[in-house]
Structures are given as C-alpha cells and as structure tokens.
Amino acid sequence: MSLVDEIMELKEKTDSVILAHYYVDGAVQDVADYVGDSYFLAKKAKEVDRKNIIFCGVSFMGESAKLLNPDKHVYMVDNSADCEMAHMVDLDKIDEVRKEYPDVAVVCYVNSTAEIKAKSDVCVTSSNALKICRRLPNKDIFFIPDQNLARYIADQLPEKNFIFNDGFCHVHHGIKVADVNKAKELFPDAEILTHPECRKEICEMSDFIGSTSEIIDYATNSDKKEFIVCTEIGVFHELTKRNPDKEFHQVKISQICPNMKKVTLEKVKKVMIEQSEEVILNDELMKLSKLPLEQMLEIAK
Ligand code: 13P
Ligand code: SF4
C-alpha cells in the first residue's frame, strides 16, 4: 500500500481530520481534508466533527485549533515546527503600553504564542486584520507581533493611532526591493502578488496584497498569465494546481519557511499511529488565550 493510501486509511481508523496550511509541502496538502490560510483553518477547526485533528503547520496554528476545540485531541505533525515571529513581543511591553494608553486595544496577529494571546484583546489574521481594526471602538491600537502587517493596516486606517512592535517574519521581511526588481527585469509582464508580512517598499511595488488564500484567489480570477509571488513557496502548489495555464515566479530562492517544511508525509503517518505530539495547554492559559480568538471570530463575522 502506498504511504498516501496508508494515511487515508488511518484517518478513518483513528477518526482524524487533517488540516494543512498552504506553506507545507504540496504532497502533504494533497492528503489534507482542508487546506487554507490561517483564518480559514481557525474557522474549520471549530467546525470539524472528528475526534482528532492532525495539524500540518506550525505551533501557533495547532494551539489555536486546540483553544477553539478544547474537547478534541489536536496533534502537531512535528512539535518542533515553531514560528519565530510568534515569540517576538516582550510580555512586559504589553503591560507598559496598557499603562501608557489606558484605552488601548491589544491586537494580536494569530502568529503568536498562547501566552501572548492571553495578554491580548483580540486576534487577527492577515485576511481579517483590516476589518477587525476598523470595527474596534478604540482609537489606540497596539498591534503585535508583526511590524509589517501592522504598518500595512495602519496606513489604511489614518483615524487610528497605531503603536508598533518590532517583530517580523524572516521569510517575508527577507524579500528586498533588489530581489523584486531583478524578478521584474526577468519577467516584465508579470503582476506582483505580495503577502502583507512583507516590507512596506515591497507592498508599494505590488499589484495585489493579501493573505495566502487571497493571493491564490486573485491569481485564479485574473486575466493575466504571469505572476511574481512574494510569499512562501508552499502556495505555488495550489496556484499551479488551479491555474495550469499560468506561470508563477519566485523572487528569490530563500522564500522558504524551514519550520513549515518539517511537516512530511512520513511524520503525518507516524503521528496518527503513535498519537504523539499532542497539543497540551494548561487550563488557565486555555481560558485566557481563547478569548481573543473567539473575539476575532465574532467581530470578523
Ligand atoms: P495566512 O495564511 O493567513 O496568509 O498566513 C501566512 C503565514 O505566515 C502563516 O504562517
Ligand atoms: Fe512564521 Fe513566517 Fe514561517 Fe509563517 S512563514 S510560520 S510567519 S516564519
């Protein structure tokens, strides 16, 4: 039996559902029941009716699935697959900002640990951050941890006062103007599609800015035939699957998130057999960190 067939059989035997982010390997995306961006996966995690959730992504995604489904077992395919940006805010800084701005809303990008979420008011993802920040009654917004997404949203909401943090994603922040210019020279007819975790200068050069799903939808609905893609290379799998007649180009070879690439088919099988790598959070942390996530789902409706 092939590895893929074994995984399909194990899903039934173990009453498991597989959720995967667009940044994991294409072969892993293909065995998943649901593939999507962070917002879609957070919503799906709440809807699935299987006993076990196998999460193909990084830690903060598995934690979010657990927080929204306390009664289910959530297993990471590789517990060491973490997102560096998810740790890039000093917890004391949140207290300091709250003291300085008593009416501040602490808006936490889902790419953050449960401990950071627990000290926040509302979570956002790249696809709902604008809507949520606009709907908040607070003028002062402390946006953590990502500086680039914060600035992208702040530029569209001049009526708000944003307080910034200095976190970043090394994959997106690592894309520089020179990389995009080089790609433009090579592919002058291509449109530039960019994730808002990229630097401001890259967003300003782009034809479209959006989450992973939004980038995929934009390219699929576009009449254009060629695109330069400024996000992690995992999205190329769905882009080419949905658009076999279109061309997608990288801006540089290091558009790779090493943590997302820790998720392999062999490990998916192993985790289903061994039921190891379970996401366990203590009750107090669960109670506090699920509130901003639930707020996100409510406000984004
Ligand atoms: P989205 O899928 O929400 O665009 O998130 C991108 C990301 O960096 C996940 O790690
Ligand atoms: Fe974190 Fe960036 Fe990897 Fe996403 S791509 S998991 S933000 S390091």
Side-chain angles (χ1 to χ4, degrees):
M1 200 191 282
S2 74
L3 183 54
V4 170
D5 288 341
E6 280 183 83
I7 291 171
M8 294 306 178
E9 200 177 280
L10 278 165
K11 271 203 261 187
E12 297 307 315
K13 265 196 196 152
T14 59
D15 196 22
S16 302
V17 61
I18 301 182
L19 304 185
H21 189 267
Y22 283 127
Y23 291 165
V24 297
D25 263 344
V28 175
Q29 293 185 38
D30 287 345
V31 298
D33 298 282
Y34 301 100
V35 187
D37 70 0
S38 310
Y39 183 42
F40 172 84
L41 293 172
K43 280 190 299 182
K44 260 299 155 219
K46 231 178 135 65
E47 289 164 17
V48 293
D49 54 6
R50 299 253 166 152
K51 194 173 80 194
N52 301 313
I53 296 176
I54 311 296
F55 213 107
C56 302
V58 290
S59 313
F60 74 81
M61 297 178 171
E63 281 182 358
S64 298
K66 179 67 187 174
L67 293 170
L68 294 167
N69 281 284
D71 300 332
K72 295 215 162 85
H73 296 284
V74 178
Y75 300 96
M76 294 309 294
V77 170
D78 185 326
N79 251 338
S80 74
D82 197 0
C83 165
E84 283 143 39
M85 179 166 68
H87 302 265
M88 287 187 192
V89 64
D90 183 354
L91 293 177
D92 292 340
K93 191 171 169 195
I94 302 178
D95 296 332
E96 282 162 28
V97 170
R98 283 199 190 277
K99 240 185 238 156
E100 198 178 337
Y101 301 88
D103 295 322
V104 76
V106 178
V107 174
C108 176
Y109 189 27
V110 280
N111 299 36
S112 54
T113 61
E115 287 77 8
I116 294 172
K117 288 187 177 77
K119 287 182 78 77
S120 304
D121 296 306
V122 61
C123 285
V124 295
T125 73
S126 54
S127 61
N128 62 29
L130 180 63
K131 189 196 239 182
I132 291 180
C133 289
R134 183 179 279 135
R135 287 182 178 177
L136 287 173
N138 319 60
K139 183 172 168 64
D140 297 327
I141 291 180
F142 182 32
F143 196 109
I144 53 173
D146 187 26
Q147 56 180 289
N148 290 320
L149 180 62
R151 186 258 326 129
Y152 173 66
I153 302 299
D155 285 351
Q156 295 172 79
L157 297 175
E159 69 279 18
K160 303 272 186 189
N161 174 42
F162 274 71
I163 301 128
F164 298 95
N165 178 63
D166 54 10
F168 62 92
C169 159
H170 65 93
V171 180
H172 292 90
H173 201 67
I175 298 174
K176 307 275 175 55
V177 171
D179 302 320
V180 181
N181 278 336
K182 210 158 118 199
K184 266 172 68 175
E185 258 173 50
L186 290 170
F187 314 108
D189 297 330
E191 276 199 330
I192 302 170
L193 314 181
T194 294
H195 194 281
E197 285 176 21
C198 287
R199 292 164 187 263
K200 183 182 173 85
E201 313 86 85
I202 307 298
C203 292
E204 284 171 352
M205 300 169 83
S206 301
D207 297 287
F208 179 77
I209 301 159
S211 76
T212 50
S213 315
E214 289 168 338
I215 287 175
I216 293 164
D217 289 344
Y218 178 88
T220 305
N221 297 326
S222 169
D223 295 333
K224 293 269 181 177
K225 292 279 174 230
E226 227 185 321
F227 304 89
I228 294 165
V229 184
C230 301
T231 190
E232 213 275 349
I233 53 156
V235 297
F236 282 66
H237 183 67
E238 186 71 17
L239 281 169
T240 47
K241 211 157 113 179
R242 284 206 219 165
N243 302 284
D245 57 328
K246 298 182 184 175
E247 275 182 58
F248 300 96
H249 307 291
Q250 286 185 232
V251 259
K252 61 196 297 181
I253 45 167
S254 58
Q255 269 171 267
I256 299 176
C257 175
N259 282 300
M260 288 285 187
K261 300 303 180 252
K262 287 181 181 172
V263 180
T264 62
L265 282 180
E266 287 75 15
K267 291 184 200 169
V268 171
K269 175 185 156 187
K270 187 168 177 273
V271 89
M272 281 203 279
I273 293 173
E274 295 178 1
Q275 306 222 309
S276 51
E277 318 273 323
E278 183 165 4
V279 178
I280 309 279
L281 298 166
N282 74 52
D283 289 350
E284 185 56 18
L285 186 59
M286 289 270 283
K287 202 173 95 194
L288 293 173
S289 49
K290 81 169 188 199
L291 295 174
L293 268 177
E294 287 176 343
Q295 272 289 96
M296 171 183 87
L297 296 178
E298 187 55 37
I299 301 177
K301 256 184 202 164

